[in-house]
Amino acid sequence: MDSIVLIKQVPDTTEVQLDPKTGNLIREGLKSIINPDDAHALEAALTLKDRFGGKVTALSMGPMQAIDVITEALGMGADAGVLLTDRAFAGADTWATSFTLARAIQQVGSWDLVFCGRQAIDGDTAQIGPQVADWLGIPQAAYVFAIESVNPKHITVKRRLEDGYERLQCRLPALITVIGEMNTPRFPRVDRLLAGCREKAPIRVFNAADIGVKTREVGLEGSLTHVIKTFAPKFKREGKILEGGKESVVRELIQRLKASEGATACRAFASACEL
Amino acid sequence: MIRSNPEHLIRDSMARFVDKEVIPQAQQIDASGEFPMELFRKVGEMGVFGIRYPRNKGGSGGNTTLYCIIHEELARGLMSLAAVSAMQCLMGTNFLFHFGTQEMHENFFLPAMKGEKIPCFCLTEPEAGSDLGAVTTLAQRTKDGFVINGMKTWVTNGPIADFYTVLCQTDPAKKLRGLNFFFVPRETPGVSVSQPFETLGTRTTRMSEVAFTNVHIPFEFMLGREGEGVSNLMSILSEIRAMTAALAIGLLRASMADAIQYAKERMAFGRPIGRYQLIQAKIANMATELEAARLLTYRATKMIDDKTPCLKEATMAKYFATEAACKAADEATRIFGAYGYSMEYTVQRYYRDSRFLLYGGGTHEVLQTNIARWAGL
Ligand SMILES: Cc1cc2nc3c(=O)[nH]c(=O)nc-3n(C[C@H](O)[C@H](O)[C@H](O)COP(=O)(O)OP(=O)(O)OC[C@H]3O[C@@H](n4cnc5c(N)ncnc54)[C@H](O)[C@@H]3O)c2cc1C
Ligand SMILES: Cc1cc2nc3c(=O)[nH]c(=O)nc-3n(C[C@H](O)[C@H](O)[C@H](O)COP(=O)(O)OP(=O)(O)OC[C@H]3O[C@@H](n4cnc5c(N)ncnc54)[C@H](O)[C@@H]3O)c2cc1C
């Protein structure tokens, strides 16, 4: 059972801070990590490999620093890594990202399963997995929390729904997106990490030409959507401490709530208090 | 060629392990006094114990710098775990690795690399601490091997170990040149171990006496050429001292991090105590000494990796980093006020554990004596 695992390097925070002037992500002082869901995806692939044998390849698209998530994947037990890096890939939306990843997957060789995380903690769209499956023309199961069985032709999984779960059987090859509930990722071994830092490490680095895509098909140029502006929503809060006796304070509070602009709930609350 | 930087990668990876697996249980493990076998095995599964040894001989293919980075991170979480792991990588297995037979390699060294067997290192005796020339444990040559008689003390891991590396005298007339290391498996008849000592710090690490009474071992259990025991010990002394310095840096960082957090939260006279200059001075000293300790320590480890002699540099690193860690832990307990005296908070553990660093690899009086001599006195 050969697998490809898509792993994204993300900043180690769920509270992404934007530079108020440029709208760019503030990366200073943030460590980069494997996107948490992707570590679970990798663990799922490695567990299958432990049971049935086969080869696990970790694939990431990103700047050169994203090599660290590839090395970490080798540290956890992946057999090989592929880093897709090229200036032309920059600024990709999910359409261009999934297209690039799908083309790279086709270059990697034979595989039975593609594992993705459900969602990246920075981009947060949860679109990449399903889109990659579509480009590859293979079945997909998203939000998977358990693999029930695998045989050379099929995989049966359980996927989380809002109010329960669904058992699903897919033909192979297939793509699965994994949620954190599925497993506990193993820690990397230091000997494997060190081997992954050596020149001879089984890591391939591909650019646009290597995967046979034109620069206008990828990155910002290949994107169907363009981000015009990024901003952090402002929550203005003004504190005011009312002073005086209990009764007068409560009365004033209700008056103020009633007068508050646009806050229907506040006004309703105030009216209810008056009753 | 795009490749990761192994030092950053391994530090980050260990830091995550420590934050997720060690720190959340450290207080409870310390309070229980039980050796954290499960965590120790996990560290073994990560390949840490082989970090100094080459890959083709069962190691992980790292070096002294990586060894120290890993143990700095572990010490930030729990000193007793870091100390036992450090021993597993270096003092407990080094002579077995270099001088042991193939059989010892397979039956003891390789299992120790996985954490399945526990080693220890026996130098100190009731009457011989800093002065190793006073070691009296005797290994007497017989027609088919050696017979060992004597008593070792302060043996870290003594009660739980599977094998011992024991410094013995083979010819008292030769003094230091008569000292040699021997390999002794725990099951050898004549080996007995005392109850563990009650100690101030590193409370989950077990220290005890180990007595050797007519312990017969074959010739090949002598580790290294006869007469070279002390020079073999000297060959790892810089590394022992640099490693102790790295443990100290880990403890210093833990003390400083907890002190900063507390100083931001604790209010007195209407403001967080971190706004007072006397508290700021304590943190400023910790931060500055931390940087200095890092520079001294990792200069020494780079020299060890480059095979440049650096006993002076490693000695200064151990002396400076340990004093800085003891000071930082002390100051942290003061920043915590009364809560620094409570067993519920972490800083009391740092304070107790910092004392562990003072003795191994040479007491500071001995180190200062050496440094003064190297300085020209
Ligand atoms: C700072 C920033 C700037 C951006 N700028 C633009 C922009 O200018 N225009 C625009 O349209 N979009 C932009 N995006 C969104 C960007 O397109 C998405 O981050 C990217 O397409 C992946 O989508 P996602 O992060 O939502 O991943 P998700 O769909 O949430 O990820 C699901 C899974 O897909 C896999 N995956 C996702 N990305 C990768 C990858 N790179 N390599 C390997 N596997 C991967 C992982 O397994 C992951 O768990 C930006 C995002 C960020 C964070
Ligand atoms: C937690 C812990 C774990 C240990 N683990 C091990 C272990 O695994 N294996 C092992 O073999 N040993 C171990 N030891 C023992 C340690 O190596 C010794 O404590 C150390 O060598 C000092 O010996 P001592 O305690 O007998 O002190 P002594 O040598 O008796 O010294 C007593 C005091 O005199 C001072 N002093 C001694 N000589 C001089 C001098 N020339 N000039 C100035 N002052 C001097 C010392 O600095 C000290 O202040 C451990 C100790 C501790 C505390």
Side-chain angles (χ1 to χ4, degrees), chain A residues 236-247:
Chain A
K236 255 203 197 155
R237 281 196 184 179
E238 277 175 32
K240 167 93 184 139
I241 294 176
L242 304 177
E243 286 176 19
K246 261 188 218 162
E247 295 227 340

Side-chain angles (χ1 to χ4, degrees), chain A residues 4 144 162 173 271:
Chain A
I4 293 181
V144 169
E162 235 166 75
S271 309

Side-chain angles (χ1 to χ4, degrees), chain B residues 32-86:
Chain B
S32 78
E34 295 294 322
F35 180 73
M37 187 58 89
E38 201 186 318
L39 267 185
F40 175 77
R41 290 263 155 84
K42 278 191 186 168
V43 176
E45 279 163 24
M46 290 164 73
V48 163
F49 302 146
I51 189 69
R52 299 172 54 255
Y53 300 114
R55 278 210 310 160
N56 58 2
K57 296 204 174 131
S60 295
N63 57 24
T64 301
T65 300
L66 292 166
Y67 167 55
C68 287
I69 287 173
I70 289 172
H71 288 86
E72 177 193 324
E73 289 300 328
L74 286 174
R76 185 170 65 78
L78 181 60
M79 183 60 77
S80 47
L81 177 68
V84 171
S85 172

Side-chain angles (χ1 to χ4, degrees), chain B residues 95-96 99-111 163 183 218-223:
Chain B
F95 299 120
L96 183 63
F99 307 116
T101 61
Q102 186 60 29
E103 207 185 330
M104 289 179 210
H105 190 82
E106 270 157 33
N107 296 335
F108 292 91
F109 178 79
L110 293 180
F163 62 94
F183 167 72
F219 287 120
E220 65 267 24
F221 281 19
M222 180 192 271
L223 299 172

Side-chain angles (χ1 to χ4, degrees), chain B residues 313-333:
Chain B
E313 288 78 3
T315 302
M316 288 176 167
K318 193 261 168 170
Y319 169 55
F320 184 84
T322 299
E323 290 293 344
C326 289
K327 239 192 292 173
D330 177 8
E331 293 288 33
T333 63

Side-chain angles (χ1 to χ4, degrees), chain A residues 93-109:
Chain A
D93 67 358
T94 59
W95 169 274
T97 302
S98 57
F99 170 74
T100 314
L101 290 170
R103 292 301 286 267
I105 289 170
Q106 286 164 332
Q107 287 288 310
V108 168

